[in-house]
Amino acid sequence: MSEILELVRQTPLLQLSMQQAINRALGEILEDDDRALIFGEDVGVLGGVFRVTDGLQQRFGANRVFDTPLAESGILGTAIGLAMAGFHPIPEVQFDGFAYPAVNQIITQLARMNYRSRGRLPMPVTLRVPSFGGIRAPEHHGESLESLFAHVPGLKVVSPSNPQQAYHLLKKAASMPDPVIFMEPKARYWNKGEVDLAVEDTSSLEGSVIARSGKHATLIAWGAMVSRCLQVAELAAEDGIELEVLDLRWLKPIDEAGLAASVSRTRRAIVVHEGPHTAGLGAEVAALVSQSCFDSLRAPVERVTGFDVPYPSGDLEDEYIPNIDRILFGVQRVLEYRRG
Amino acid sequence: MAEISFPLPDLGEGLLEATVLEWLVAVGDQVERNQPFVEVETTKSSVELPSPIAGIVLTLHGDPGDVVLVDAPLITFTVADDSAGIVGTVPQEAAPKRRVRLSAVLDED
């Protein structure tokens, strides 16, 4: 036991971008699991449009890391067939907006094959989707699909907020017997952070995490909005307001207990997401918080979200994605709410 | 720094190769995205190819007059590790700016 602890202590902390952390995790998954396969548009020869699969085809060969035609429905159909045959596919849909042509395969086959076959055909598929906005890309490259996928029984949905989580959550997702939609916040691909490669207690990869502790209100976010909420918390501290930031991480299933534990202490909650307001995942979070914390809440749960419009082109992105001031306004609304 | 190679694409329908007519860039040049970098001739036409990324030219795979096969390497760039993907730009990290100040009357019960 002490030898193991010594090994853990010797495991170096690396400074990696999220893109590099995911690349490293994918390489280790392919190394450890002969049945793992990576495929998608440009993931092989090119190494991915964001270089996330860089070098993997050279290392593992074109039988395990391969390019597909530009046909997302086919990518997912291939993944489903391979999973039926005992493989562990890790397909990539190059951009969130390209997932729409694959939605039929995802919802009508991938999500329910295990159920339909009474457990004889589990679908250990990890679908990587570079997600959300923030990089000034054209249409179909900045969508937030979490509420769409979270609504589908049979799918799990997760979104990391930093390199450390991206590395560990991807390995965790790939080890699960169920289909997992892995939403990579592409706006955070280039931000470096400390990554501890040591094997964590796997239960620490479940549920939400507190990214910053505070006592006056809880900001609930995921993906790229977590770092923005941390900035907001820093600014709020200048005004004497201590905000807690809860990184939800798993968007299906949602960590109800973690939400309840935080908000029952802070008694105020603001949920922040990039996706449109109506029927966004914030509505689900607000309902869960209202149910579990009804007696302690000092104000209705506030939602600071994208607008009910198609995701705009790059020039308007900063107006669409919740910015610091819009989040601060949301905080102000819950702080000054008085029961009437 | 990372190296990225691009193969010769199929410039028609089912073409197998193209002949390099003229390189429009030299090794060491900084090339912008969509900047034409080579003129090639196929059995159908001659055409200038735009660069899919911004980067510094590391290798030109072939001299004028050489035949390059479709899917064989055509040009290799070196790009910075934090350079954008083929689509979009790297978000600029600016110091957080605010206009809204919080003024709370907190009940302490």
Side-chain angles (χ1 to χ4, degrees), chain A residues 26 48 69 76 94 170 188 209 235 253 278 293 308 334:
Chain A
L26 288 171
L76 267 294
Q94 197 168 63
L170 181 57
R188 305 296 300 172
V209 285
L235 295 170
T278 300
C293 304
D308 284 349
V334 299

Side-chain angles (χ1 to χ4, degrees), chain B residues 7-20:
Chain B
L8 177 70
D10 180 357
L11 297 166
E13 286 182 10
L15 293 179
L16 300 175
E17 60 186 31
T19 304
V20 175

Side-chain angles (χ1 to χ4, degrees), chain A residues 132-135 137-139 141-143 274 309-313 317 320-321:
Chain A
F132 316 118
I135 65 160
E139 197 190 356
H141 296 68
E143 316 265 313
E274 296 183 36
V309 298
Y311 191 81
S313 63
E317 227 171 22
Y320 175 87
I321 298 174

Side-chain angles (χ1 to χ4, degrees), chain A residues 172-188:
Chain A
K172 166 87 174 169
S175 73
M176 295 169 82
D178 299 312
V180 179
I181 312 293
F182 191 82
M183 302 179 71
E184 299 170 5
K186 61 178 94 81
R188 305 296 300 172

Side-chain angles (χ1 to χ4, degrees), chain A residues 46 49 51 95 134-138 141 187-188 190-191 216 235-236 238-239 241 267-268 298 324-325 328-329 331-332 335 338, chain B residues 2-6 81-91 93-94 96-107 109:
Chain A
L46 182 67
V49 290
R51 319 224 39 78
F95 283 92
I135 65 160
R136 301 278 189 270
H141 296 68
R188 305 296 300 172
W190 298 273
N191 295 84
H216 293 133
L235 295 170
E238 295 171 3
D239 303 335
I241 305 298
R267 303 177 300 175
R268 296 174 176 85
R298 294 288 190 215
I324 285 172
D325 282 332
L328 283 169
F329 269 127
V331 173
Q332 182 64 35
L335 289 177
R338 289 293 174 271
Chain B
E3 292 178 16
I4 303 184
S5 281
F6 287 97
D81 284 338
D82 63 349
S83 67
I86 288 167
V87 177
T89 60
V90 179
E93 284 292 299
K97 272 189 279 202
R98 70 183 317 190
R99 285 174 294 180
V100 177
R101 291 258 158 208
L102 298 176
S103 55
V105 187
L106 293 169
D107 42 6
D109 60 325

Side-chain angles (χ1 to χ4, degrees), chain A residues 145-157 181 183 251-252 254 281 284:
Chain A
L145 301 176
E146 65 271 33
S147 59
L148 184 66
F149 289 132
H151 190 62
V152 179
L155 297 180
K156 290 188 164 69
V157 185
I181 312 293
M183 302 179 71
L251 310 178
K252 177 78 170 287
I254 291 178
L281 205 67
E284 183 67 27

